[in-house]
Amino acid sequence: MANIDNILKKHGYKKSELIPILQDIQAEDRWLPCETLKYVSEKLDIPLIDVYSLATFYKSFSLKPRGKHVVTACCGTACHVRGGPKVLQELQNQLHIDVDETTPDKHFTLETVRCLGACALGPLVVVDGKYHGQMNTKKVASTLKKYSKKKK
Amino acid sequence: MIEMTIDGIPVQVEEGSTVLDAARFYGIEIPTLCDHDGLSSYGACRLCVVEIGKGENAKLVSSCTYPAETGLNIRTNSQRVVSARKMLVELLVAMCPSSKTVQDLASAMEVKQVRFKVDKTNDCILCGLCVRMCEEQMMAKAIGFVNRGKNRKITTPFDKKSDVCRTCGGCLYICPACELRCQGPAADTDLCNACVNVQPVCLKEEDNKMCFLETCGWCYEELGRKNNKKEIIKK
């Protein structure tokens, strides 16, 4: 809870800065646990339902635990016609998880996004904010390998 | 005072009132669903649409949220308004066919068919009355809108019993979807319309016995005579 207090102090306990506060918390913890939202609502004197509405409204906030690396596959129109669904299927097969799920070892989380605005690079896969363009089913394994646990 | 016209009638209303307030003050009926005295205007159901503006600039606005302005020319019953209202009721019926309030509105506007896919599992029209009731009258703020788009729903935080909820029941009291429609023989249909399409029973008396049939032999005879008369008149 210490880090939340620091974040709240940084934003001056302002009600209007709820979104940046939640963003900062998510940047540290990778997700927003129930207790965190309750703590924030208490400290900022905002009804819990308002904090919960906001956290569920924006797709960038996650109320489920997320893995160490977030793999985001683009499902936009341009990526779709260039083979996005095949790449997504390959990612699901390799990670053995569905969309919006996390691997049991809490290492990877698979997500989808509508469009990232980099259609020329499609099909696009983003891992931890790094764009991997011109993705195909063969390149999926090597890309994931870069982020998988280091061999002992 | 603001001067404007509603359905061609010049009216005067106080500043700060809405178009709906003005229409009600002058006894002009506008159907509403998500509007309630004592709660803020929300404009969720759009049933209170009225037409304003001239010619190409004419547009539909929700009267419950539109502030009265000087020189407004408001039409509450133009063809465009009526057809828009009918479609809105159809959409509401498609969203929540089990609600008596919605079905009554459909019957009152003589909606005879629903052109949209009816979701019989849904029991909420997201009018936000319960949310406003909880916040503004009960001062609790225990429920609110969660998620967005097609997943939008009204619930408590984390779908668990809220700490601030006093189980006052205000949300149930004000909900227009909680009251179920008449559970008659047509309870499973998309559109109730029971009150519009009801067949009057026959109250003819013969030899001190009441008929009570929908159409008895006597009625047919009567009907035949009437038709003959019409034909004779036509000839």
Side-chain angles (χ1 to χ4, degrees):
Chain A
M1 285 285 179
N3 57 355
I4 297 172
D5 281 325
N6 285 342
I7 290 165
L8 288 170
K9 206 176 277 174
K10 194 179 109 190
H11 291 280
Y13 290 91
K14 273 188 206 156
K15 283 184 188 183
S16 55
E17 299 207 2
L18 181 58
I19 292 176
I21 287 168
L22 291 184
Q23 276 175 331
D24 284 0
I25 294 170
Q26 170 137 320
E28 280 192 22
D29 296 354
R30 296 200 298 272
W31 68 295
L32 300 169
C34 169
E35 292 75 29
T36 309
L37 293 185
K38 278 182 185 166
Y39 188 75
V40 170
S41 93
E42 265 174 41
K43 286 282 164 189
L44 294 182
D45 194 24
I46 298 174
L48 180 59
I49 184 67
D50 283 352
V51 182
Y52 184 64
S53 298
L54 190 135
T56 51
F57 183 87
Y58 293 105
K59 219 184 164 186
S60 60
F61 291 129
S62 173
L63 297 174
K64 283 196 285 185
R66 294 213 280 187
K68 201 176 171 190
H69 302 289
V70 180
V71 184
T72 314
C74 183
C75 294
T77 314
C79 290
H80 184 92
V81 294
R82 286 177 175 219
K86 278 184 193 168
V87 172
L88 181 63
Q89 190 60 48
E90 184 65 20
L91 281 167
Q92 288 177 354
N93 290 347
Q94 298 231 350
L95 297 170
H96 303 293
I97 50 170
D98 218 339
V99 176
D100 287 332
E101 281 180 7
T102 306
T103 47
D105 61 356
K106 301 254 187 284
H107 203 68
F108 284 113
T109 297
L110 183 59
E111 285 180 358
T112 57
V113 70
R114 291 300 136 205
C115 186
L116 290 158
C119 303
L121 294 172
L124 202 61
V125 169
V126 183
V127 186
D128 296 343
K130 193 171 183 291
Y131 285 34
H132 297 269
Q134 263 110 38
M135 190 54 68
N136 54 40
T137 47
K138 282 172 193 165
K139 277 165 78 178
V140 165
S142 60
T143 311
L144 286 179
K145 209 174 175 184
K146 282 182 207 164
Y147 296 93
S148 52
K149 283 174 193 164
K150 278 171 192 169
K151 283 161 199 166
K152 284 168 193 172
Chain B
M1 296 292 270
I2 297 167
E3 288 180 16
M4 52 186 194
T5 54
I6 303 180
D7 292 344
I9 307 159
V11 298
Q12 282 188 329
V13 286
E14 278 176 30
E15 242 164 88
S17 58
T18 63
V19 171
L20 182 65
D21 292 337
R24 281 198 176 148
F25 184 76
Y26 281 89
I28 297 159
E29 207 173 303
I30 295 176
T32 56
L33 181 61
C34 74
D35 178 80
H36 201 277
D37 294 337
L39 297 180
S40 57
S41 296
Y42 193 62
C45 71
R46 316 305 291 182
L47 266 183
C48 61
V49 282
V50 291
E51 198 179 6
I52 56 164
K54 274 182 197 168
E56 279 188 4
N57 292 329
K59 58 175 181 179
L60 295 173
V61 293
S62 63
S63 60
C64 69
T65 52
Y66 203 87
E69 280 170 20
T70 309
L72 266 187
N73 178 18
I74 302 151
R75 281 89 73 194
T76 66
N77 259 312
S78 66
Q79 211 170 6
R80 194 175 165 197
V81 169
V82 170
S83 65
R85 233 176 241 160
K86 272 194 175 181
M87 195 177 81
L88 284 164
V89 169
E90 278 180 53
L91 284 163
L92 284 171
V93 170
M95 205 172 175
C96 186
S98 61
S99 158
K100 180 173 160 46
T101 315
V102 172
Q103 292 287 355
D104 284 355
L105 278 168
S107 296
M109 290 182 202
E110 295 185 2
V111 173
K112 291 283 160 64
Q113 53 154 354
V114 180
R115 289 166 287 177
F116 307 101
K117 202 179 159 193
V118 177
D119 183 4
K120 289 193 173 160
T121 56
N122 194 9
D123 54 2
C124 181
I125 51 172
L126 298 172
C127 63
L129 271 174
C130 54
V131 177
R132 278 175 284 153
M133 183 77 168
C134 192
E135 183 186 351
E136 293 166 18
Q137 291 294 332
M138 299 305 166
M139 312 296 169
K141 224 163 190 301
I143 53 173
F145 289 102
V146 168
N147 293 332
R148 66 166 165 177
K150 67 179 172 58
N151 296 322
R152 196 162 179 243
K153 61 175 182 176
I154 292 171
T155 184
T156 52
F158 307 103
D159 293 338
K160 287 175 193 158
K161 193 192 171 299
S162 172
D163 297 335
V164 287
C165 176
R166 303 188 301 269
T167 55
C168 66
C171 43
L172 289 173
Y173 167 77
I174 206 155
C175 178
C178 282
E179 192 184 353
L180 291 181
R181 60 196 261 197
C182 327
Q183 297 296 305
D188 288 339
T189 51
D190 294 345
L191 210 53
C192 177
N193 270 356
C195 313
V196 177
N197 298 330
V198 74
Q199 290 269 348
V201 287
C202 182
L203 295 173
K204 287 276 179 300
E205 233 176 297
E206 222 167 332
D207 301 336
N208 291 332
K209 281 178 190 165
M210 297 292 286
C211 172
F212 291 133
L213 284 171
E214 266 180 22
T215 41
C216 59
W218 215 81
C219 300
Y220 274 123
E221 215 174 274
E222 185 107 294
L223 218 68
R225 267 185 228 151
K226 268 186 193 167
N227 287 347
N228 278 340
K229 264 187 197 169
K230 272 183 195 168
E231 277 167 23
I232 290 160
I233 291 162
K234 269 182 193 171
K235 277 173 188 173

